[in-house]
Amino acid sequence: MLMSKTDRPARIHYMANGFRVLTPGDHVVCGVSGAHIPIEDLRYWDVATQRAFASAALAAEAMAPR
């Protein structure tokens, strides 16, 4: 039986120059805003914390030194 991966979060391992899909899905969740990010639009993540970000601004804010 084929299962649709629509509206299912993917599990991803983030690496320095890319990412590897561990569990198929159609999106990941932003670590700051909680927004759904389609896999094809995923551009920003933090390797150390393994979090995805919906935008460069959110990534910069989350990773700024405190």
Side-chain angles (χ1 to χ4, degrees):
M1 173 183 202
L2 293 175
M3 305 251 334
S4 172
K5 60 182 178 177
T6 303
D7 203 35
R8 290 186 56 197
R11 209 171 115 230
I12 294 185
H13 177 73
Y14 302 102
M15 298 175 284
N17 294 318
F19 56 85
R20 184 175 59 153
V21 177
L22 302 174
T23 304
D26 67 342
H27 70 277
V28 293
V29 178
C30 176
V32 175
S33 70
H36 287 195
I37 308 163
I39 298 296
E40 60 271 8
D41 294 338
L42 179 59
R43 301 285 181 269
Y44 310 102
W45 58 83
D46 182 5
V47 174
T49 62
Q50 292 292 294
R51 292 191 303 169
F53 302 104
S55 70
L58 288 172
E61 177 185 322
M63 297 186 331
R66 308 228 177 228

